[in-house]
Amino acid sequence: MSTKANGDGMERHTLTVLVDNEAGVLARVVGLFSGRGYNIESLTVAEVDAAARTSRITIVTSGTPQVIEQIEAQLRRLVPTHAVTNWSAAKAGIEREMALIKVAGTGEKRVEALRMADAFRARPVDTTHSSFVFEITGAPSKIDSFIELMRPLGLVDVSRTGVAAISRGPEAM
């Protein structure tokens, strides 16, 4: 995974935080961001080890390299934090997201939407005479591209899960 920079030095980073699964931890992590004016572009959280009572929080955020370093340092200082990994800067990892995308249309637009969905390996999970709901999984950039192609074909609604990230190879976080 690579960082995505724009003209003002801001870079998009995917961070994962392994934390104790207890009440208030997510609020403290989110509070760290909001209290300092950092934006969260995507946030997912789930328990990953019931025996150890740990959860993984995956956060996509943007900032200058200095801001990202500061966020990482502050996340590491939170009491229930076990590990912080910056997948955009540290090691090779896999980043995936799932989205449900509703497209309404008839005639040629309907045929084109189906053709595009097939090319992107998006699967129709609901079909009516005038609409489709497609399920697509992949890198966030793939989902962004699919959504943009669906706009002129009758895009109605989008629901995204947020990013999940994991390391390649046998090592754990």
Side-chain angles (χ1 to χ4, degrees):
M1 280 178 263
S2 61
T3 58
K4 182 179 169 186
N6 61 23
D8 59 3
M10 301 284 278
E11 298 175 345
R12 181 179 173 271
H13 287 258
T14 301
L15 309 171
T16 53
V17 188
L18 188 64
V19 296
D20 291 338
N21 185 12
E22 59 187 38
V25 173
L26 181 61
R28 282 191 270 169
V29 169
V30 170
L32 183 149
F33 278 78
S34 65
R36 289 159 182 83
Y38 305 145
N39 187 40
I40 295 174
E41 296 174 19
S42 171
L43 175 71
T44 57
V45 62
E47 184 174 66
V48 292
D49 188 339
R53 298 198 32 81
T54 56
S55 291
R56 179 185 299 234
I57 301 171
T58 304
I59 304 163
V60 178
T61 189
S62 293
T64 65
Q66 296 81 8
V67 166
I68 298 299
E69 283 179 34
Q70 187 177 34
I71 290 171
E72 288 180 61
Q74 290 167 349
L75 285 169
R76 284 187 180 92
R77 282 197 292 270
L78 287 178
V79 173
T81 299
H82 297 277
V84 177
T85 304
N86 182 339
W87 297 107
S88 305
K91 29 180 130 170
I94 300 167
E95 193 177 83
R96 292 293 182 264
E97 184 176 11
M98 192 273 291
L100 297 172
I101 298 160
K102 185 182 291 186
V103 179
T106 56
E108 274 305 307
K109 286 188 175 186
R110 183 175 173 83
V111 172
E112 182 65 9
L114 274 172
R115 192 179 70 71
M116 285 292 171
D118 188 52
F120 276 78
R121 294 187 184 152
R123 191 170 64 95
V125 293
D126 183 62
T127 305
T128 70
H129 291 294
S130 60
S131 70
F132 291 104
V133 175
F134 295 109
E135 176 184 342
I136 185 168
T137 305
S141 59
K142 173 186 173 184
I143 293 171
D144 291 342
S145 296
F146 183 70
I147 290 168
E148 287 310 309
L149 288 171
M150 291 297 116
R151 282 193 198 285
L153 300 177
L155 180 70
V156 173
D157 202 1
V158 176
S159 179
R160 296 176 80 152
T161 60
V163 174
I166 196 164
S167 65
R168 295 181 183 273
E171 301 85 29
M173 184 179 160

